[in-house]
Every structure is written in structure tokens, then in C-alpha cells.
Amino acid sequence: MNDAGATPDGNTMRAAVLHGPRDLRIEDVPRPAPGPGEVRVRVEAALTGGTCTKIWRRGYHATMGRPPLPFGHEGAGTIDAVGAGVSRFQVGDRVVPANSAPCGACRMCARGMTAQCEDMVWLTGFFAEQLLVPARIVAQHLHPVPPGLDLRTAALSETLATVVKGSDRTPARRGEHAVVLGTGPLGLLWVRVLSASGVRVTAVGRRPEREATARALGADTAVGVEDFDADAAQADLVVEAAGTPEAWAMALRSVAPGGRVNLFGGLRADAAVADP
Ligand SMILES: [Zn+2]
């Protein structure tokens, strides 16, 4: 093991641990030490999002884990200790650890559907002084942060990756018109990714203060949902990034014949979408 001089002293560290629904505690927990293939990261940016809120309310996550659950699954930091056998990384490297890595051996992995891996390794615990990154994530999904990119921005990589993957599934060509329903963080990232590809984007949201942000990120038009005429939109691509049954129905009304709809925002399993 290769300890950095900047490592805090002591055998414990502060960490946020979820113990049940709405029961998040800041605790002293054992400071992790990396085993073979693992690295330890001093966390410098950790994010919250809609998924974190859901986990906090429910007290668990179906795949990421059950309480006591180290909290937070997105972030970035600097490696401060490296386990045996790790050659690609060293102490001082700035990195984004992804929060999962597939097994490469199961039925779903064999079909190339690694995001549906039946034996996924998950990583939570970004809301802590330090984070132990499992060997499988080090080997597959530990990303160096390029010089000039600050860690707070780099921490958005996982979120952005979901949008890039969604955009690969439902591509839009330069000059086409896309409607993005929802101006939360993910909707705004969609606006950025699409506009950067030369797509004309209409952003539709509920919060007026987000309209200026959507325009700054490249939206040609940003309107409130009450001012949006779905039936007249005739979009080549509609991205639903609001996660409500109403937005799902609106997405189907907004698309032109032969267009594409990406139902990106998740719904509860028992949600019902009205006939648009
Ligand atoms: Zn697998």
C-alpha cells in the first residue's frame, strides 16, 4: 500500500450512512485501506440527485444496497492510497469512479447488455472523507480527470453518461427538431448534448428560472409547460426527462409521424399513462 502524505490521521473517518427511510446519519466509520486491485479516493466532490432523494425516502435501493448503506453514488476525488497490483493509477491521480461495474460473464453481459448485468458490483459512499473503490471498478470504470477540468464538473460524468447513452439509442441529426420535456439536471444535460450536435432544441419545463439556463446551454426555445402546444410540436425527437405520467403522454403527442420518443425519465412500476 502506498499512503499519501496528505492522508488524514486516525483509523476512523466521517461518513454519511443511511439507516432507513429518511434516517441519514453522519458517523465515524473505519477508514478503509485498499486491498489488492483497489484504490482509495479522497472525495472532493459528491453529488445528490433524484435517485439520492428516492433512496433517502425509501431507505434503500433495490440494487445498490440496503441499510446501513454508505450514502452517495456520484462524485470525484484524488487517489490517496493504492492497493497491490494496481499499475494504471497512482497516488495523486484525480479520478471519477463510476458507481458500478459488470461481471463480464453472466447471461446479460454475454449479450452485450452490461448495464443489466446480473452480478453487478456497486459503489456507494461518496459522502465520506474517503472512498474505497472495488477492484472491478478500478479495472473497468475508474476514469482519469484531464488537466483543466475541475472535480466538481467531472463529478457529473456518470449523469452525463446516461444522457450520452440515451442519445446514442435515439439519435437526432443536425438540423432536426427535438423537444426536451423537463428542465431538471438531466433535461438540461439533454439540451446540451443535443444542441452540441446541431439539433434545434425546444426545452419545456415547469420552472421559469430554468428557461434562461436552458437557453444558455443551447436551447433555441425554452417555454413553460403551460405555453407549450404539444399537438403542434411535430418534433423529430422527443425526450421525456420529467419522469411523470403526464410528461410521458405529452411526449407521445409532441412527436411527428415517424419520429422518435425517448422515455428517459423513469416511472413507478404501478404508474399509469393516460391515452394521449
Ligand atoms: Zn454480468
Side-chain angles (χ1 to χ4, degrees), residues 102-110 114 116-120 136:
C103 72
C106 74
R107 193 170 48 109
M108 301 308 278
C109 284
T114 51
Q116 279 73 41
C117 173
E118 294 167 340
D119 186 24
M120 193 81 87
R136 201 197 281 175

Side-chain angles (χ1 to χ4, degrees), residues 88-182:
R88 284 201 306 134
F89 296 94
Q90 52 190 335
V91 170
D93 286 352
R94 302 186 319 140
V95 290
V96 173
N99 57 33
S100 64
C103 72
C106 74
R107 193 170 48 109
M108 301 308 278
C109 284
R111 294 167 63 188
M113 300 170 71
T114 51
Q116 279 73 41
C117 173
E118 294 167 340
D119 186 24
M120 193 81 87
V121 161
W122 292 97
L123 176 60
T124 68
F126 282 81
F127 282 91
E129 290 176 37
Q130 286 153 307
L131 175 74
L132 190 67
V133 183
R136 201 197 281 175
I137 292 179
V138 173
Q140 298 183 44
H141 287 169
L142 185 61
H143 307 294
V145 176
L149 182 63
D150 68 278
L151 289 174
R152 289 177 59 170
T153 304
L156 280 165
S157 299
E158 192 267 345
T159 315
L160 179 63
T162 67
V163 173
V164 171
K165 183 180 179 185
S167 180
D168 285 347
R169 292 275 177 90
T170 53
R173 285 180 293 275
R174 180 172 292 279
E176 284 193 319
H177 177 219
V179 167
V180 176
L181 300 175

Side-chain angles (χ1 to χ4, degrees), residues 52 64 87 90 124 133 138 146 165 203 207 219 222 250 259-260 272:
C52 290
M64 284 189 228
S87 55
Q90 52 190 335
T124 68
V133 183
V138 173
K165 183 180 179 185
R207 301 193 204 175
M250 183 177 278
R260 285 136 279 149

